[in-house]
């Protein structure tokens, strides 16, 4: 058994720095490259792509990422674990296989499926699985718009199985972000399914690095001016040990910083009840985490406790939920805020006169109160204020009509207005999310090897 | 003595549906006790009154010198439904750090807390 296993994060979301995966395999020794591509919004985008072309539906950036790390994977044995498969993991694997083949390499690719429940929804609802909304309690049968995708968040077991079958690349669909890091540690150290403390530690390692550089100096408020070389920010890696403890660090000669403070900020990011971070594999307790500085850009994480998971998996359902558009205009000093407020009243009145009604309207004053509201204090002397006016509704034509009401205000509204060069606002279709739980027993994952 | 949170803590916030979370972390470990004592659930609910629609919950992480607040109904529906600039609650963190707390002078001196400017 290895004494230390290095898992490096190379992608925190679909759209992250394309060069980060290559920097992670070239900047220093690593055993695994972990790439997280999936946010909730991503699954429905991928589902739409798959509907148009059945060979799509995965994060296509991944093929380029694999190309950039191919020498490390094929020649140095670095393994890759990624949830790039989206709603079509097999097609993703096929594309990687073709890319590698064209460059003279044969890769053993493990493909994890079984998370996609879209085709089974009617059957599941008929069998009594309400898929009630975790926030509102409403059963999925009452959802307003067309369902576009439905995926269960699956855990580490199928990834471990693929690694046991000697896959050098593992591609999953909607695997949890944290399992992508925990599974390689579990496989290498042979952690059993009830070694709760170690499994929880692996999950927390995953939580720390799943957002890429957000734990290594990116978006860090603590002493932000002093964080060096963000243009060359080092993405994080964990050096895991068999007992579950691990060190968070980054490659030498990279920018950013790994410190107790940068890691703590990431630990509290998107946190709910810290005693119960629920995953398919284990419930991790964030109140047991000990952080210790272990040298420059090194933080030791230890003491983590875990307990058995629940018998449910989280399911994310995406559905069509109407349309929205946001228009903006900028008003300049003097009385910038007051001018923007008058424009807001004029706009409301015009929409009323046109007989347009919306489910929801939000006006904000960027530069004054948009993010901190009344806490921002008196902003009457602001040098400039952007009126940001958003509408949402089920009638596309009404939202479309609204987008034509912004530009006229430049000539027929309050003075000192600018910032309209971007043209008419775009109408966006809203795909909303329905979080639900389902019995674990109905989700069967499958692992295939493609060579 | 009046103390502003931004001078004794750092923070990061994020979202889960229509709930924003704010993790507040003491800049120095000995200042955690000040967060614990003065940044109560009620105080935070009052700070954000009129800005959020739901309740506030507080969780303690003394191991990280941090508190975690959940601000329910803070994101105009959250996710893709929200029309807000800060639809994902990314800057509720610094909004909380605007808070002024009143620490007894003796305690403030003992802990060398910076006075609010």
């Amino acid at each position: 058994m290895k004494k230390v296993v290095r898992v490096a994060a190379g992608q925190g979301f679909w759209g992250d720095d394309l060069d980060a995966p290559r920097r992670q395999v070239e900047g220093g020794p690593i055993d695994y490259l972990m790439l997280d591509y999936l946010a909730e919004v991503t699954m429905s985008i991928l589902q739409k792509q798959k509907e148009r072309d059945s060979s799509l539906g995965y994060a296509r950036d991944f093929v380029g990422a694999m190309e950039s790390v191919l020498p490390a994977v094929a020649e140095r044995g670095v393994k890759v674990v990624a949830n790039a498969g989206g709603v079509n993991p097999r097609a993703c694997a096929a594309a990687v296989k073709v890319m590698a083949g064209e460059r003279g390499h044969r890769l053993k690719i493990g493909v994890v499926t079984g998370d996609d429940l879209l085709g089974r929804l009617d059957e599941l609802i008929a069998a009594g699985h309400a898929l009630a909304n975790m926030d509102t309690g409403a059963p999925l049968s009452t959802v307003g718009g067309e369902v576009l995708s439905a995926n269960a968040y699956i855990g580490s077991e199928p990834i471990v199985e693929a690694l046991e079958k000697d896959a050098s690349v593992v591609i999953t669909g909607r695997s949890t972000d944290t399992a992508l890091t925990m599974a390689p540690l579990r496989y290498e150290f042979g952690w059993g399914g009830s070694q709760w403390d170690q499994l929880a530690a692996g999950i927390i390692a995953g939580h720390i690095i799943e957002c890429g550089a957000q734990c290594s100096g990116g978006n860090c408020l603590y002493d932000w001016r002093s964080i060096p070389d963000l243009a060359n920010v080092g993405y994080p890696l964990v050096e895991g040990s068999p007992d579950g403890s691990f060190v968070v660090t980054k490659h030498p000669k990279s920018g950013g910083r790994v410190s107790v403070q940068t890691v703590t900020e990431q630990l509290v990011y998107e946190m709910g009840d810290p005693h119960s971070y629920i995953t398919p594999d284990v419930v991790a307790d964030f109140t047991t985490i000990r952080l210790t500085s272990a040298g420059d850009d090194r933080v030791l994480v230890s003491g983590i406790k875990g307990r058995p998971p629940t018998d449910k998996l989280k399911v994310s359902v995406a559905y069509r939920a109407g349309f929205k558009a946001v228009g903006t205009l900028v008003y300049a000093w003097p009385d910038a805020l007051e001018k923007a407020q008058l424009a807001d009243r004029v706009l409301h009145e015009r929409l009323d006169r046109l007989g347009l009604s919306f489910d929801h309207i939000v006006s904000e004053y960027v530069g004054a109160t948009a993010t901190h509201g009344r806490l921002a204090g008196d902003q009457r002397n602001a040098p400039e204020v952007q009126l940001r006016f958003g509408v949402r509704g089920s009638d596309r034509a009404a939202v479309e009509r609204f987008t034509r009401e912004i530009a006229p205000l430049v000539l027929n509204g309050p003075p000192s207005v600018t910032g309209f060069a971007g043209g008419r606002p775009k109408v966006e279709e809203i795909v909303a999310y329905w979080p639900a739980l389902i019995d674990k027993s109905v989700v069967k994952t499958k692992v295939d090897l493609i060579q | 003595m009046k103390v502003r949170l931004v001078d004794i803590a750092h923070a990061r916030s994020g979202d889960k549906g229509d709930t924003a979370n704010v993790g507040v972390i003491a800049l120095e470990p000995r200042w955690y006790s000040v967060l614990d004592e003065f940044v109560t659930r009620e105080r935070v609910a009052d700070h954000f009154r009129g800005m959020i629609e739901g309740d506030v919950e507080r969780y303690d992480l003394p191991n990280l010198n941090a508190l975690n607040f959940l601000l329910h109904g803070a994101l105009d529906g959250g996710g893709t439904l929200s029309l807000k600039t800060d639809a994902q609650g990314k800057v509720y963190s610094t909004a909380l750090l605007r808070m002024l707390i009143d620490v007894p002078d003796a305690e403030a001196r003992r802990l060398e807390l910076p006075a609010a400017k």
Side-chain angles (χ1 to χ4, degrees):
Chain A
M1 195 205 302
K2 287 177 183 150
K3 284 185 181 147
V4 173
V5 172
R6 293 181 177 82
V7 182
Q11 205 77 166
F13 64 100
W14 188 12
D16 203 352
D17 187 345
L18 291 172
D19 193 40
R22 186 192 59 77
R23 295 207 306 269
Q24 285 294 57
V25 299
E26 292 179 0
I30 65 167
D31 301 298
Y32 289 85
L33 178 66
M34 181 282 284
L35 304 172
D36 173 23
Y37 285 94
L38 300 183
E40 283 183 329
V41 69
T42 321
M43 298 304 280
S44 60
I45 295 170
L46 293 172
Q47 186 64 43
K48 282 186 191 172
Q49 292 181 354
K50 187 181 171 189
E51 279 167 17
R52 284 194 293 269
D53 180 341
S54 62
S55 71
L56 297 179
Y58 58 88
R60 273 179 288 171
D61 283 2
F62 178 62
V63 182
M66 279 306 301
E67 187 181 348
S68 73
V69 302
L70 196 55
V73 175
E75 291 151 27
R76 281 166 30 213
V78 171
K79 295 182 182 181
V80 178
V81 182
N83 57 11
V87 295
N88 205 350
R90 285 197 181 86
C92 181
V96 170
K97 182 187 161 191
V98 168
M99 181 280 299
E102 284 168 0
R103 283 150 192 80
H105 294 290
R106 288 164 58 94
L107 300 174
K108 244 187 184 180
I109 304 172
V111 182
V112 176
T113 52
D115 60 298
D116 192 343
L117 303 179
L118 184 62
R120 298 176 58 196
L121 280 183
D122 291 342
E123 162 215 335
L124 289 169
I125 290 170
H129 299 281
L131 290 159
N133 188 303
M134 288 168 74
D135 298 328
T136 66
L140 182 61
S141 54
T142 63
V143 69
E146 180 199 356
V147 169
L148 296 172
S149 65
N151 295 79
Y153 285 74
I154 57 177
S156 67
E157 283 175 8
I159 303 173
V160 170
E161 187 184 331
L163 294 171
E164 283 168 353
K165 289 178 172 167
D166 203 28
S168 57
V169 179
V170 183
I171 296 170
T172 75
R174 183 60 278 191
S175 148
T176 63
D177 308 344
T178 49
L180 303 175
T181 297
M182 189 268 261
L185 297 171
R186 177 175 179 178
Y187 163 70
E188 291 283 349
F189 297 136
W191 293 337
S194 54
Q195 281 180 265
W196 309 119
D197 296 347
Q198 283 88 342
L199 296 179
I203 290 296
I204 288 172
H207 177 78
I208 291 172
I209 67 171
E210 76 188 11
C211 295
Q214 204 177 216
C215 77
S216 54
N219 190 27
C220 180
L221 182 60
Y222 181 85
D223 207 11
W224 61 271
R225 285 185 187 83
S226 77
I227 294 174
D229 199 9
L230 282 174
N232 177 42
V233 68
Y235 275 54
L237 62 108
V238 292
E239 299 173 351
S241 295
D243 68 355
S245 66
F246 58 92
V247 168
V248 185
T249 185
K250 64 187 184 68
H251 286 321
K253 295 180 192 152
S254 61
R257 174 175 295 150
V258 176
S259 68
V260 168
Q261 289 85 1
T262 68
V263 172
T264 305
E265 283 195 23
Q266 178 56 22
L267 278 171
V268 299
Y269 178 65
E270 293 183 344
M271 180 187 278
D273 175 356
H275 300 282
S276 300
Y277 185 91
I278 301 172
T279 76
D281 296 291
V282 64
V283 177
D285 184 349
F286 276 54
T287 68
T288 59
I289 300 170
R290 295 273 168 264
L291 299 181
T292 319
S293 179
D296 286 348
D297 292 313
R298 293 177 68 80
V299 172
L300 172 66
V301 186
S302 61
I304 292 166
K305 297 284 178 196
R307 56 185 194 276
T310 70
D311 57 2
K312 306 279 188 195
L313 291 180
K314 188 175 171 184
V315 176
S316 183
V317 178
Y319 64 98
R320 294 190 202 274
F323 302 88
K324 66 179 176 183
V326 175
T328 63
L329 287 169
V330 173
Y331 291 85
W333 184 94
D335 309 313
L337 179 57
E338 208 181 325
K339 290 167 187 163
Q341 286 167 332
L342 174 58
D344 174 59
R345 289 196 297 276
V346 171
L347 201 44
H348 271 276
E349 199 176 327
R350 290 220 174 120
L351 297 180
D352 283 347
R353 287 180 183 210
L354 286 167
L356 299 178
S357 65
F358 299 99
D359 296 341
H360 194 48
I361 296 179
V362 168
S363 321
E364 291 182 322
Y365 302 97
V366 179
T369 55
T371 57
H372 287 185
R374 62 170 165 72
L375 298 170
D378 185 357
Q379 297 294 322
R380 279 175 297 187
N381 206 29
E384 66 235 358
V385 170
Q386 181 192 59
L387 169 65
R388 186 178 176 281
F389 194 102
V391 305
R392 186 177 81 209
S394 53
D395 178 3
R396 180 170 196 134
V399 178
E400 195 77 55
R401 185 68 188 80
F402 153 75
T403 66
R404 296 170 175 271
E405 285 303 305
I406 302 289
L409 276 172
V410 173
L411 298 183
N412 64 20
S416 328
V417 59
T418 184
F420 45 82
R424 246 191 291 148
K426 283 192 187 61
V427 177
E428 255 186 278
E429 186 182 12
I430 302 170
V431 174
Y433 298 92
W434 183 284
L437 295 174
I438 197 158
D439 294 338
K440 254 183 191 167
S441 56
V442 307
V443 178
K444 303 277 184 235
T445 57
K446 188 163 177 281
V447 178
D448 295 304
L449 272 192
I450 294 179
Q451 337 207 10
Chain B
M1 188 173 92
K2 295 262 190 236
V3 176
R4 199 178 286 282
L5 284 192
V6 74
D7 295 320
I8 63 166
H10 58 127
R12 180 171 294 180
S13 54
D15 69 317
K16 195 70 73 186
D18 196 21
T19 298
N21 96 291
V22 186
V24 190
I25 308 149
L27 286 177
E28 295 194 20
R30 62 194 173 136
W31 293 345
Y32 172 72
S33 63
V34 179
L35 300 184
D36 181 29
E37 187 177 349
F38 297 98
V39 190
T40 59
R41 188 192 70 78
E42 292 75 14
R43 195 68 183 72
V44 172
D46 196 44
H47 186 69
F48 287 115
R49 197 171 306 288
M51 294 173 63
I52 66 173
E53 288 172 3
D55 294 337
V56 172
E57 289 181 82
R58 176 183 134 166
Y59 293 99
D60 300 357
L61 293 119
N63 55 317
L64 300 178
N65 301 307
L67 303 175
N68 185 41
F69 291 94
L70 301 186
L71 315 178
H72 296 292
L75 300 174
D76 186 42
T80 51
L81 285 169
S82 178
L83 295 174
K84 280 167 72 91
T85 298
D86 192 22
Q88 291 171 303
K90 300 278 188 185
V91 294
Y92 269 100
S93 51
T94 54
L96 181 54
L97 294 182
R98 287 176 176 274
M99 184 190 284
L100 277 172
I101 53 174
D102 223 334
V103 182
D105 288 348
E107 187 174 351
R109 270 197 304 278
R110 180 173 60 79
L111 291 169
E112 300 176 274
L113 295 175
K117 291 179 204 78

